[in-house]
């Protein structure tokens, strides 16, 4: 079985509107046809273009020379 990330047009559960999401998609080995996708949407947007823009922003931010954060950076420190 192989997999990759794909943009999927999804229907909102609470609204009659659709949205787009980036999900892991899994393929059948013999036919290479999509057979399943992950429950968790990795990135969502109002269009495929918006998803690509978010990914480009994420990559640009990740490439910046800044210190790596840890979970400790988010804890409130009491003195």
């Amino acid at each position: 079985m192989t997999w990759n990330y794909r943009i999927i047009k999804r229907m909102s559960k609470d609204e009659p509107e659709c949205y787009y999401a980036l999900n892991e998609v899994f393929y059948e080995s013999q036919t290479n046809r999509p057979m399943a996708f992950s429950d968790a949407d990795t990135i969502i947007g109002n269009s495929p273009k918006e998803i690509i823009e978010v990914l480009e922003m994420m990559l640009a931010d990740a490439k910046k020379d800044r210190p790596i954060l840890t979970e400790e950076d988010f804890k409130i420190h009491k003195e």
Side-chain angles (χ1 to χ4, degrees), residues 9-20 46:
K9 184 177 182 179
R10 314 259 331 252
M11 292 303 299
S12 177
K13 293 178 184 174
D14 301 328
E15 302 291 328
E17 302 168 354
C18 69
Y19 66 96
Y20 296 85
N46 293 319

Side-chain angles (χ1 to χ4, degrees), residues 16-71:
E17 302 168 354
C18 69
Y19 66 96
Y20 296 85
L22 185 70
N23 294 75
E24 293 175 335
V25 174
F26 303 91
Y27 300 87
E28 292 179 3
S29 297
Q30 300 294 328
T31 63
N32 205 35
R33 295 180 73 178
M35 61 181 235
F37 62 91
S38 59
D39 289 336
D41 297 332
T42 305
I43 297 175
I44 61 171
N46 293 319
S47 68
K49 181 182 177 194
E50 187 175 323
I51 290 175
I52 292 167
E53 288 170 353
V54 169
L55 287 167
E56 288 172 342
M57 181 178 61
M58 292 170 70
L59 183 58
D61 286 345
K63 287 181 174 182
K64 291 178 181 172
D65 187 23
R66 292 184 283 187
I68 302 298
L69 297 173
T70 68
E71 293 176 14

